[in-house]
Amino acid sequence: MSFIQLNNIVKTFNDSQRQTETLAIDDISLSLEKKEFACLLGPSGCGKSTLLNMVAGFEYPTLGSVKIENKVITGPGADRGMVFQQPNLMPWLPVWDNVAFSLKLQGVGRKQRQDAAQQYIDAVNLTGFEQHFPGALSGGMAQRVGIARALLQNPAVILMDEPFAALDAQTKLEMQEELVTIWQKYNSTILFVTHSVDEALILGSRVVIMTHRPGKIRDDIKIDLERPR
Ligand code: ADP
Ligand code: ADP
């Protein structure tokens, strides 16, 4: 049994006003194993975000099922860390408090939250910026906070939707390298959405290629990480 299983997923979106129906995902089955770094690659509109959002529990399949450790997903959960294109930090809270906010909601005390946040702030190379406010951070640093926040509760899987798409080329390269280091250090399982072939090849231990209209899987490639990339 695979760690994450998408079984015969079909997803349609209805526009009741215009009486149209979009077939976004057309019978996709995909299994992910622990410690895989899987890139979902395809053109804009092919259904990558929709597929990721179903694993996140933000969307539900029209047909088929999404399972994590053989349990059907019934909504979002702390077992899945999310990183979006925009980190959407809370500007009134310092870095460490943004990272640890979910623990605050769970009633964890200040000192414990700070300690928990620190190792992930260090992991994304933001040591020393704990007390800074989001307004004082560059786009890359803000996204590092977003990644630390996603790592915080040691999620079973990290779901990333074009997290570096808004960054300049140099920052993007730095952060891609950092993400590979984090993946190796924490033995993370990552599902990463991108429309960039370069990015998929730099990052992935596996590249799943989707086609457009309707969204289907066209190819599923395991990358041999022992060989030079
Ligand atoms: P990608 O992430 O590959 O760019 P999306 O998953 O965002 O693709 O979208 C796939 C298709 O589904 C597109 O045609 C998009 O317009 C449509 N779609 C996605 N979400 C919705 C929604 N909430 N309502 C209606 N159509 C949607
Ligand atoms: P991406 O960068 O992945 O291509 P999109 O701009 O396609 O992102 O979509 C961003 C979000 O908006 C997605 O989560 C998707 O579900 C939603 N979305 C996409 N198309 C539509 C649509 N036509 N109507 C409503 N929501 C949509």
Side-chain angles (χ1 to χ4, degrees):
M1 179 197 63
S2 294
F3 179 45
I4 298 177
Q5 288 176 292
L6 294 92
N7 303 309
N8 300 102
I9 304 290
V10 173
K11 179 70 177 177
T12 56
F13 291 106
N14 293 302
D15 186 331
S16 49
Q17 272 184 337
R18 283 192 242 155
Q19 299 211 321
T20 55
E21 195 179 71
T22 306
L23 176 60
I25 305 287
D26 183 15
D27 194 16
I28 282 185
S29 294
L30 180 67
S31 297
L32 297 178
E33 305 302 331
K34 275 188 182 159
K35 299 185 193 176
E36 268 187 324
F37 192 146
C39 289
L40 211 48
L41 172 68
S44 183
C46 74
K48 304 182 296 295
S49 295
T50 301
L51 212 57
L52 194 83
N53 288 341
M54 284 191 273
V55 180
F58 298 153
E59 306 244 33
Y60 293 92
T62 308
L63 291 172
S65 64
V66 184
K67 294 180 183 173
I68 296 185
E69 295 193 303
N70 222 22
K71 280 170 65 185
V72 174
I73 286 171
T74 55
D79 60 335
R80 282 149 285 158
M82 296 289 307
V83 185
F84 306 97
Q85 187 169 328
Q86 299 297 336
N88 288 323
L89 304 177
M90 288 170 274
W92 61 89
L93 294 178
V95 163
W96 78 267
D97 229 352
N98 266 285
V99 172
F101 191 76
S102 61
L103 296 180
K104 194 173 191 165
L105 296 179
Q106 292 166 23
V108 176
R110 185 183 166 83
K111 175 75 172 72
Q112 235 182 310
R113 298 201 309 274
Q114 231 157 6
D115 289 348
Q118 189 68 53
Q119 75 154 300
Y120 298 108
I121 289 171
D122 296 344
V124 297
N125 297 320
L126 281 181
T127 313
F129 289 90
E130 294 81 0
Q131 306 294 341
H132 284 56
F133 285 85
L137 303 178
S138 67
M141 290 163 85
Q143 191 56 291
R144 286 183 171 93
V145 178
I147 293 170
R149 180 181 57 191
L151 290 169
L152 180 79
Q153 300 203 64
N154 191 26
V157 59
I158 305 165
L159 305 173
M160 310 183 92
D161 194 346
E162 305 262 10
F164 306 143
L167 304 175
D168 65 83
Q170 179 59 37
T171 307
K172 192 180 292 190
L173 276 176
E174 285 168 19
M175 293 193 64
Q176 286 166 340
E177 277 181 27
E178 288 176 21
L179 183 59
V180 171
T181 304
I182 286 168
W183 170 60
Q184 288 165 342
K185 174 171 178 185
Y186 291 103
N187 285 312
S188 312
T189 308
I190 301 181
L191 183 57
F192 187 107
V193 161
T194 182
H195 62 261
S196 159
V197 177
D198 281 7
E199 184 160 70
L201 291 176
I202 288 169
L203 294 175
S205 65
R206 180 174 173 190
V207 179
V208 179
I209 304 175
M210 289 179 66
T211 54
H212 201 188
R213 293 215 171 109
K216 278 183 171 295
I217 292 179
R218 172 183 156 158
D219 251 313
D220 187 347
I221 303 160
K222 295 245 164 46
I223 309 284
D224 183 352
L225 298 178
E226 301 305 313
R227 298 171 70 172
R229 282 196 276 178

